[in-house]
Amino acid sequence: MNSNWLSRYFQFSELKTTFGREMLAGLTTFISMGYILFVNPSVLGASGMDKGAVFTATALSSALGCLIMGIVAKYPIAIAPGLGVNAFFAFSVVIGMKVPWQTALAGVFIAAVIFFIITVFKIRELIINAIPQSMKLAMAAGIGLFIAFIGLNEGGLIVANKDTLVSFAMLTKGTTWLTIFGLIVTVILMCRKIPGSIFIGMALTSIVGMISGLIPLPSQIISAAPSLAPTFGVAITHIGAINTVQLAVVVLTFLLVTFFDTAGTLIGLAEQAGFIKDNKMPRVGQALLADSSSMLVGSVLGTSPTSAYIESSTGIAVGGRSGFTAVVTGILFLFGLLFSPLLAVVTSQVTAPALIIVGVLMASALKKIEWDKFEIAVPAFLTVLGMPLTYSISDGIALGFIAYPITMIASGRAKEIHPIVYGLFFVFIIFFAVLFG
Ligand SMILES: Nc1nc2[nH]cnc2c(=O)[nH]1
């Protein structure tokens, strides 16, 4: 490839960046988020999905999302299946509601089609503006608490307790100590701002696990990518199964979570990189298109929804400014396809620290909620706390959207409630009536 052509297409000089810096940024972002290649199969595997197929679907959908983001939207922002929404898929929808994973995947496909339509027909601004800022922030923070809770439980630190519901675990198992080791190491690396802290923490935890005999040695390191056959196309063949109110709400949750996670992350990262002009993000449509396309393709290949990744901030922090950063990350995801045998050493003790730490990062949204306004604080609080307590992102969202019109009307602020928010109020009332009535 001619680097002059590259530098012109990606506008290196206008963006005051260089080929070398963009390569480093793409690599940095990949190192920060490459863990998802192993964590996603581990989380979705809990729902009964084939881990090998999910690994391949994760790599391919991430690569596609990053390449479209880089080449079409020209942002240094990477995309991959979101942690949090994959936990919702596995633990709430499949295990909790007993929906077969095939049907849940069909739900992701339908949500992706709606996301795509919303983006192409520019309904996106309408929705972004209709949902109160406090609720968008509460959703992000609540998901953070939810995945941290899952990580604490999977890593053996927080356990069920018949008297107090949950409690701290007895620290008698070697595997729990492995989680504690991983958590401490990763937190220290994060505090030192080492790029790829989560990845390095996972590698060290796996190595200590293998040395101590808590984790079996892998038979090889590199191999051909696992077959997609167990999951490929299942989303489309099961569309007919989406025929209940419960599943309609699951689809709505996939849509709301992905849409607001991606929109919020895009805006945050664009602010960090200095792309926001007149309070607007240029090419936001193309950026959302990158995510909706990879979510659509990902659901057909066999993974839960993709999101713009908060870890892209690490590549931006080392100077990544053009779409080439995301292209480099996307290409590295394709190389990642070769490393599937390492899945065997990435046990739940290895993934738990990643879940907890991404939870901490997502909880940073709490700081922007207007806690001093009671009418805002109550629905936000119910959303945030509702997700871990009900073990469900959609129940948390539902609690918040039911409370919001009530507290706003009671505070004399009814005029600020958008009709779409009233619509969601009734949708979630019906959801609760059907599920728990
Ligand atoms: N924005 C965002 N970043 C992530 N990093 C890991 N998982 C996620 C996610 O679900 N959303």
Side-chain angles (χ1 to χ4, degrees):
M1 241 187 291
N2 181 325
S3 72
N4 273 343
W5 176 86
L6 260 187
S7 108
R8 247 180 292 126
Y9 183 81
F10 289 107
Q11 303 179 306
F12 286 171
S13 50
E14 288 88 333
L15 294 166
K16 301 191 179 56
T17 184
T18 61
F19 178 79
R21 199 179 299 158
E22 294 293 305
M23 290 284 285
L24 177 70
L27 176 66
T28 304
T29 297
F30 178 76
I31 291 174
S32 303
M33 65 186 285
Y35 66 83
I36 197 62
L37 282 171
F38 303 101
V39 179
N40 201 38
S42 150
V43 173
L44 293 183
S47 74
M49 291 178 73
D50 180 88
K51 284 189 184 182
V54 174
F55 174 87
T56 304
T58 304
L60 292 178
S61 60
S62 307
L64 179 77
C66 293
L67 291 174
I68 301 179
M69 182 67 88
I71 296 169
V72 181
K74 299 192 183 177
Y75 278 120
I77 294 175
I79 287 178
L83 267 182
V85 74
N86 65 359
F88 169 70
F89 181 107
F91 297 105
S92 306
V93 180
V94 179
I95 297 172
M97 302 180 193
K98 303 200 172 22
V99 172
W101 64 260
Q102 294 86 342
T103 308
L105 218 45
V108 177
F109 178 80
I110 294 176
V113 170
I114 301 172
F115 185 4
F116 196 84
I117 291 171
I118 287 173
T119 306
V120 171
F121 290 98
K122 302 205 167 82
I123 311 166
R124 54 186 188 247
E125 275 90 359
L126 185 73
I127 298 186
I128 290 179
N129 296 334
I131 307 295
Q133 178 70 0
S134 60
M135 289 300 294
K136 293 178 204 157
L137 295 165
M139 281 193 250
I143 293 172
L145 260 58
F146 179 55
I147 56 178
F149 185 36
I150 290 171
L152 288 164
N153 178 245
E154 293 269 304
L157 287 167
I158 296 291
V159 291
N161 181 309
K162 66 177 170 31
D163 300 317
T164 60
L165 303 182
V166 282
S167 65
F168 203 67
M170 298 299 290
L171 301 176
T172 48
K173 288 190 187 148
T175 47
T176 310
W177 281 103
L178 192 57
T179 304
I180 295 172
F181 168 80
L183 195 53
I184 294 174
V185 166
T186 315
V187 165
I188 293 173
L189 291 167
M190 294 285 291
C191 290
R192 306 290 313 155
K193 298 195 172 33
I194 309 285
S197 301
I198 295 181
F199 215 107
I200 300 169
M202 283 175 62
L204 291 175
T205 312
S206 294
I207 291 168
V208 169
M210 286 184 282
I211 292 172
S212 61
L214 292 166
I215 296 178
L217 292 171
S219 49
Q220 58 202 60
I221 292 176
I222 287 183
S223 79
S227 165
L228 279 172
T231 53
F232 185 79
V234 166
I236 296 178
T237 52
H238 286 74
I239 284 180
I242 306 287
N243 54 10
T244 62
V245 173
Q246 186 193 42
L247 287 171
V249 170
V250 166
V251 170
L252 182 68
T253 305
F254 281 138
L255 179 64
L256 284 180
V257 167
T258 311
F259 185 78
F260 289 116
D261 183 356
T262 287
T265 306
L266 286 174
I267 291 167
L269 293 170
E271 244 164 42
Q272 182 196 358
F275 288 124
I276 301 285
K277 304 224 164 64
D278 303 327
N279 209 20
K280 286 218 161 67
M281 179 174 175
R283 308 184 301 284
V284 70
Q286 282 99 318
L288 289 172
L289 208 63
D291 188 37
S292 50
S293 314
S294 72
M295 178 173 168
L296 195 68
V297 173
S299 68
V300 176
L301 298 177
T303 176
S304 53
T306 54
S307 279
Y309 251 48
I310 195 83
E311 286 88 345
S312 314
S313 62
T314 56
I316 294 171
V318 299
R321 287 294 177 275
S322 82
F324 192 60
T325 292
V327 170
V328 172
T329 308
I331 292 170
L332 290 171
F333 267 111
L334 292 178
F335 277 114
L337 275 171
L338 297 173
F339 293 94
S340 64
L342 296 182
L343 274 172
V345 299
V346 184
T347 59
S348 48
Q349 295 79 39
V350 178
T351 55
L355 292 168
I356 298 163
I357 284 164
V358 176
V360 176
L361 299 179
M362 295 185 79
S364 74
L366 286 171
K367 69 172 183 275
K368 294 192 218 138
I369 295 173
E370 296 174 289
W371 294 110
D372 50 347
K373 299 206 168 71
F374 195 69
E375 66 277 20
I376 301 284
V378 169
F381 184 77
L382 287 174
T383 305
V384 173
L385 191 63
M387 291 190 195
L389 289 191
T390 62
Y391 220 70
S392 163
I393 293 176
S394 62
D395 289 359
I397 295 178
L399 287 170
F401 276 106
I402 289 172
Y404 186 81
I406 299 173
T407 57
M408 288 296 278
I409 292 170
S411 306
R413 295 176 64 180
K415 271 204 229 108
E416 293 172 48
I417 307 171
H418 195 282
I420 289 179
V421 175
Y422 280 118
L424 290 171
F425 172 81
F426 289 110
V427 166
F428 286 120
I429 293 267
I430 295 169
F431 167 61
F432 272 146
V434 169
L435 258 193
F436 304 109

